[in-house]
Amino acid sequence: MPGEIDLSRLPEHIAIIMDGNGRWAQKRGLPRVIGHKAGMEAIRKTVKYCSDIGIKILTVFAFSTENWKRPRDEVNYLMNLLTEYMRKEVGTLHHNGVKIKILGEPDMLPAQTRAEIQEAVILTEHNRGLQFNIALNYGGRAEILKACKKLVRCINDGSIDIDSVDEAMFSNLLYTGNDPDPDLIIRTSGEQRISNFLLWQGAYSELMFTDRLWPDFDEKELRSAILEYQSRDRRFGALK
Ligand code: IPE
Ligand code: IPE
Ligand code: MG
């Protein structure tokens, strides 16, 4: 039986690459999109658990800038699912004090999805419970490039002095703004790569890979990831 997690040493920020929905469905002889639907339930449970134990920030990778390469039907299904998730869950999330934030470029999303998201963000913006970041049309490289462009514009118009630019200032220009970096990044489905997720912010994150497919991810799995995190020795380049 796994030990108990130490609630006084929780990761402040957990980020998850929710992978394996398609394979979960295919294993059952079902269309891939059914896996996405099942994955929504895993998101619901994960948010609830993180909120209950007092995690400050949960970031989930929902749709990457590269996922547009998928068949149109799958992309449309994912967008509709997201719209539905927002519509159905926002009441409960708000009730539980969850604050929703979007990381990424919403411009390319369907109008209805954008509207539903915006409503949820505005409704929950003053909440003080779990901050729930949804990385949507998110790419780490696109994010860094966008921050660079902003910075260059400010330097050119004289509002920022190039010599005053430091890591903290640059971080602030990213979608994550003031958020602390993720302490723990979990990827499900057995793949061991970052896939363009939180490239800057993940510089010193503890990485955790599990073979579990995202729709099968549950509280027990998250608890064991937190336990593993608590057994790691984070040195940040220094010595013990
Ligand atoms: C993750 O599951 C969800 C998204 C990327 C939107 P996948 O759809 O990537 O599932 P697999 O990796 O094909 O099994
Ligand atoms: C990463 O999963 C993106 C999300 C979970 C949204 P992918 O399934 O798109 O990643 P690759 O293609 O296996 O690297
Ligand atoms: Mg995948």
Side-chain angles (χ1 to χ4, degrees):
M1 167 152 158
E4 280 299 303
I5 58 176
D6 178 352
L7 292 175
S8 71
R9 287 193 309 119
L10 288 173
E12 195 176 7
H13 182 175
I14 298 178
I16 308 182
I17 302 173
M18 312 182 291
D19 198 15
N21 292 349
R23 278 164 282 171
W24 183 92
Q26 277 162 343
K27 258 175 52 183
R28 289 163 176 75
L30 299 167
R32 288 179 49 86
V33 293
I34 301 303
H36 295 315
K37 193 157 178 76
M40 282 293 159
E41 185 56 23
I43 297 181
R44 211 182 54 74
K45 284 194 275 189
T46 304
V47 173
K48 176 80 170 60
Y49 179 67
C50 286
S51 167
D52 286 351
I53 64 169
I55 300 292
K56 296 246 165 50
I57 304 178
L58 170 70
T59 299
V60 299
F61 202 1
F63 193 87
S64 77
T65 45
E66 288 72 36
N67 288 146
W68 296 107
K69 296 177 198 161
R70 295 189 180 196
R72 201 197 179 94
D73 283 354
E74 180 167 340
V75 171
N76 288 343
Y77 188 95
L78 276 166
M79 293 300 155
N80 289 334
L81 205 57
L82 253 147
T83 318
E84 188 190 309
Y85 173 85
M86 287 293 173
R87 198 180 300 132
K88 274 197 189 155
E89 291 294 320
V90 71
T92 312
L93 293 172
H94 185 45
H95 177 78
N96 292 330
V98 175
K99 174 182 173 153
I100 298 169
K101 176 167 154 179
I102 303 297
L103 313 181
E105 291 302 318
D107 288 10
M108 280 166 77
L109 305 176
Q112 220 201 346
T113 312
R114 263 196 338 253
E116 211 70 50
I117 286 168
Q118 209 193 353
E119 216 172 288
V121 169
I122 291 169
L123 176 72
T124 63
E125 78 181 322
H126 300 297
N127 287 346
R128 292 303 189 87
L130 174 76
Q131 181 179 316
F132 180 34
N133 291 340
I134 307 174
L136 194 52
N137 192 20
Y138 172 91
R141 288 184 172 181
E143 176 183 42
I144 292 171
L145 204 54
K146 187 178 181 182
C148 288
K149 287 183 181 172
K150 261 196 241 168
L151 200 54
V152 172
R153 268 188 213 106
C154 292
I155 291 167
N156 284 345
D157 72 16
S159 57
I160 290 179
D161 169 16
I162 192 162
D163 292 319
S164 70
V165 177
D166 60 10
E167 291 185 6
M169 185 192 282
F170 192 79
S171 284
N172 258 299
L173 294 170
L174 301 172
Y175 300 126
T176 36
N178 273 325
D179 297 350
D181 290 337
D183 300 294
L184 169 62
I185 296 180
I186 302 169
R187 182 171 189 148
T188 58
S189 90
E191 308 297 351
Q192 302 196 358
R193 55 177 168 261
I194 289 297
S195 300
N196 205 11
F197 189 47
L198 302 177
L199 296 182
W200 170 280
Q201 300 90 331
Y204 270 103
S205 304
E206 292 299 324
L207 305 178
M208 213 81 74
F209 299 102
T210 162
D211 287 337
R212 199 61 80 92
L213 302 173
W214 175 250
D216 292 328
F217 191 84
D218 57 11
E219 180 181 320
K220 196 165 157 243
E221 196 74 9
L222 186 53
R223 291 176 79 84
S224 73
I226 295 174
L227 257 180
E228 160 79 23
Y229 166 81
Q230 292 183 332
S231 76
R232 302 252 181 116
D233 177 21
R234 301 186 79 190
R235 291 186 289 278
F236 300 96
L239 299 179
K240 274 195 95 170

